[in-house]
Structure formats: C-alpha cells, structure tokens
Amino acid sequence: MTASRRARKHSASVFALRNTVGDSAGPPAEPAPDFIDHAVRGTDTGQPARPAEHPPLQTSDACPKPERNACMDLDTDLQKRTTAKVSRRLVPLLVAIYFVSYLDRSNISFAKLQMSDDLSMTATTFGLTSGIFFIGYVVVEVPSNLALHRFGARKWIARIMITWGVISSLMGFVPNVTIFSIGRFLLGIAEAGLYPGILLYLTYWIPREQRARVTALFLLAIPLASVLGSPLSTWLMSAFDGHGILAGWRWMFVIEGLPAVVLAFVVWFALTDRPGQAKWLSAEEREWLTAKLAEEERDTADAHGLSSLRTSLFNSRVLVLCVIYFCLVFGQYALTFFLPTIVDSLGERAGTHFSLVEVGLISAVPYLFAAAALLVVGRHSDRTGERPLHVAIPVLVSAVAFAGALFFGSPIAALLALSVGAAGLFGAYPSLWQLPTEFLTGTAAAGGLALINSLGNIAGFAAPYATGAIADASGGSYRPPMIVMSIVLLAAAVLVIAIRNRLGTSSRPASAALTPTTTSHGDIAA
C-alpha cells in the first residue's frame, strides 16, 4: 500500500470513529467534510458527483481495541440495512424492465407457429428475421451505453422503453417478410444499451461482494419471461385469433408491446441515478454506500489502471470476454428461438400433437431449471469469491446436456436434458458479468460492458440463422444444429479455463471483504 493511501485511510478512520462511537479523549464529533456533502448532494448541474475523490471506507478494523466491538456492530448493521434497502428498491423494477424487454424480443419464437404460413417463411427465413434484431442492436450498443453513463439511467432507460414498446406493437401490422425484417432491425436499435446499461447501473449501487447475487436476481427476468411469457404468448395467440382483422400472432405483438410504454413512466419517476441522489436512503446510508463504491473503484484503478474508454475497447481481456460471451449467446438464442419448435417435434415423436398452450407450458420447463441455477450459482460465486470456474463448469455441463438431448428415445428424458442444459447456460451469466468489472472502472466499464455485450450479441444473429439453415439442410432435423450449439459452448468453457489466471480475479471469499462479524449471507433482500 502506498504512503498516500495509508494517509487517506488514517484520516478517514478518525472521521468514521468520531461519527460512530465517539472519542472520549478528543473534541466533539465533527460535521461531515465538504467532499461528503458534495457526494451526497451532487454537482450544481444536477449530475451526481464522481465518487473517486471520496476517501477510502473504513470499517471496524480501524477502531481502537476498546471500541472495536461497537464499531463492528455498527458496520454490520449499516451494511446489511443499506444493501437490503437498495435491493428492495431497485431489483424488482429492474427485473420488470428486462422481463418485458426479453418477452418482446423472444415472442417471435411463438409467433412462428402461426406466422410462418401467413408470411411464407422457411426455417432459414425465420432465423434470418429473428437474428436481424441483433444487427441493429450491435450497431448502437456502445454509444447507447455511453449515453446512459452520461445522461443517467432514469432518462435513458425510459427513452429506450418507449421506443421499443411502440415498435414492438407495430410489428403486429406488418404486411410481409421484408417489412417484418425492417421492424426487427429497428427493434434492435431501440433496445440497444438496455442490458449492459443495467449491468453498469448495478455497479453504481451494489458493492462487489454482493454483485453476483444481485445480478442473478436481475437475470431472473430471462427465465421468468419464458416461464410466464410462454403460456401468455400462446394463450393470446389462441384467444384473439380471428378477432377483428388480425390473426392471433398479430394481436400478441400489439398487446405485449404496450407494457413497455407504461413501465417507461414508472422508470422516469421511480428510478434513481446514483446513491448520492437517493432520498429514500438516510444520510448515513448514502455516505457509507458512496464511500464503499468509491473505494472499490479506486482499488480497481490502482491495480489495473483501466478507466478510459480507449483502454477498455482495445484491451485483450475484454476482447477474449467478447468471444466467450458470443459462444454463450449463441447457445442461448438457438434455444430461445427454436425451443417451441423442438417441443412440438417431441410431441410428434411421442405420437401426439400439442396445442399452442401446451407447447407454451412445456417450453417453460427448462427455464424453471435456469431460474434455480441463476440463484444457486450466483450465491455460491459470491460466497467463495471465485468467478471463472463458476462460468466454465456450468457451461461445460450445458454443452454435454444439449448434445445428448435429442438422442434420447423418451421425450421426457430429452426435455430433462434440455432443462439441465438451460440451467448450466444461464447459471454461468452472474459470474461472467463480474469478470470485466474486476479490472474496468468508470467510462472504461461503460464502454467495456457495452462492447462485450455488443460483439457477443452478434451471435443473436448468427445462432437463429445458422440453426434454421442447418435444420433445413438436414431435412428438418434439429439434431445437427444442437450438436453445433454444444461445440460452441464447449469452446467457451475451454477458453474461460485457459485464461482464468489473466482475468484479475481473486479466489478470496467475499466475506473476507466484510467486517469480521458479518457473513456474506443475508445482505441482499430478494
């Protein structure tokens, strides 16, 4: 530790002690210094102050021995109270936002069951129109995330939601495949920046030791959108088919696009950009959270020196993470866009025919497994402090499960294998997204997260197109595309293991970063 950092720690420890347990041998408690008042109030322009000038956070270790027990109790209570309050306030809203987003981008998989005949789509054409969403998404992903960092999450996320909601609803009125493809492209542009923006937003609020668990809670939106959205989408298609002048799949697009517009107004009034602006936190809670996150940002910058946009966009570790994420997204969207069709084929193998609603209900089963894996793997990753193996092992399990899924004679066994594959795939995500924030801060984190998500989501175009083309070439069989998907996932697992020592992560348990009387459990209220 440098002398300047030791000096900062000493001065901050005196301030923390005087404002908590008191100093019987010294003067009365001092008012908060200017830097804390500035961090809490924000700048004169209304933008939150950057936390980097805040002195390092001090916990009970800095207390003299006679007062150490009191300090530990205060540290523990403040930490648990603050993180629980932040989670209760932000996580449900963020889950709702991404639930609607993922539903609006993936409901095309159910529309295919009716839309293919209406618009004369082959599997290859469907894969192309599904994947073209990600071309628009990739084009503006990085600029969109930088805009969120510049203008604030509240304004930018609300803007994203209004535009995507309107475009999604208008998809119900397209006359042909060409206009449908243009609509999917525009929908990708509208949604760009939302996913990495929320991941970046979590770094503004959640300390590193609890971030994988909170990320897992946020990512529950994906399996929830499938568990709840699958039967909802197929029910809308069945219930509204033939009402008025629209087919059922058109009604589904119109109706499911509206919640995004409504939720945008909730975001505008309820979301808070930074802890320093959070009136729903007490002054003590704001000061603790601002100092904690500022210390983490300083430590990361001191260790790696990556805080500028240029350093993140051309960093070799970021580029490798782009490749890893590409492989995971390839598996995710091959599953997302073709799972209803695969389920329908399982019914044919069993000598039965599933209704639209039955296809939706059965398609939800793998995502129940995925939801459980998100929570279990994310919590275990935070408990141990280990990240790379919590990515590689679940992805390896996923690759093996998907490879064997369609070779089982029993449809039930095949569905179980698909469910295990989905669990492994989604279980890797919470830890994956902690890897770049181990060595990126500030604008570099905003640009790096966006670049990883942007280049990785090229697989959102490649996966459905390749899956559909391979299925068409193999006479409609989905065995060859599932094998390809497994090979891609296996490559991701091998790559994570190969570079794990270069990712700048530590195997130190998360609890070691907390106060001595605090465990790594119970800090986050789900």
Side-chain angles (χ1 to χ4, degrees), residues 36 40 281-288:
I36 287 183
V40 172
L281 291 176
S282 68
E284 183 184 33
E285 292 164 347
R286 288 196 299 267
E287 292 170 10
W288 176 85

Side-chain angles (χ1 to χ4, degrees), residues 76-88:
T76 302
D77 178 69
L78 179 59
Q79 175 180 273
K80 292 174 66 175
R81 184 174 73 245
T82 304
T83 53
K85 188 181 291 186
V86 167
S87 297
R88 286 194 300 268

Side-chain angles (χ1 to χ4, degrees), residues 60 68-79 515 517:
S60 54
R68 185 162 296 180
N69 288 338
C71 282
M72 288 192 296
D73 291 340
L74 287 168
D75 286 343
T76 302
D77 178 69
L78 179 59
Q79 175 180 273
T515 58
T517 57

Side-chain angles (χ1 to χ4, degrees), residues 120-204:
S120 300
M121 283 186 176
T122 63
T124 303
T125 304
F126 171 76
L128 179 63
T129 55
S130 299
I132 203 169
F133 166 95
F134 294 98
I135 301 299
Y137 191 89
V138 166
V139 167
V140 297
E141 180 85 327
V142 173
S144 182
N145 214 38
L146 294 175
L148 183 145
H149 185 65
R150 169 65 179 84
F151 298 110
R154 180 178 65 89
K155 295 177 181 178
W156 199 250
I157 290 177
R159 193 284 305 162
I160 289 174
M161 297 185 72
I162 289 176
T163 51
W164 108 53
V166 170
I167 293 172
S168 184
S169 291
L170 291 176
M171 294 290 290
F173 300 96
V174 296
N176 53 52
V177 172
T178 301
I179 302 300
F180 187 84
S181 299
I182 293 172
R184 289 286 295 178
F185 177 79
L186 294 176
L187 186 64
I189 291 177
E191 284 196 38
L194 180 69
Y195 182 65
I198 292 179
L199 293 173
L200 177 68
Y201 181 69
L202 289 175
T203 68
Y204 298 161

